[in-house]
Amino acid sequence: MFLTRAISVTNFVVATSALTFQVCVLYPWHKQLDDDFEALKKEHLRVLGAIKAIGEGAAGQKEKAV
């Protein structure tokens, strides 16, 4: 009886500790990573737009040369 109760209590303590860790540590860290990823996507789109503008400018100059 004592062994069964000890295993149940141990299981509860481990599960509670894991849930607390997930909520207090991993979730805020995930939010920070998500925000950083969104900023990276915006920067990537900005750079692609700049490259596209440069490419269109170079194509326009080639057409003028012909």
Side-chain angles (χ1 to χ4, degrees):
M1 176 78 172
F2 177 73
L3 181 63
T4 305
R5 181 63 53 114
I7 291 174
S8 297
V9 170
T10 303
N11 187 27
F12 177 76
V13 169
V14 169
T16 305
S17 299
L19 180 61
T20 304
F21 179 75
Q22 288 177 4
V23 170
C24 296
V25 176
L26 294 181
Y27 183 72
W29 182 57
H30 173 264
K31 291 299 291 176
Q32 180 64 37
L33 287 176
D34 194 35
D35 294 343
D36 291 345
F37 182 69
E38 290 298 322
L40 183 63
K41 283 194 326 189
K42 288 178 184 176
E43 176 68 14
H44 180 69
L45 290 174
R46 185 190 66 78
V47 169
L48 284 177
I51 291 172
K52 184 178 178 182
I54 291 171
E56 289 174 351
Q61 289 178 357
K62 287 182 183 179
E63 289 176 3
K64 289 179 184 178
V66 174

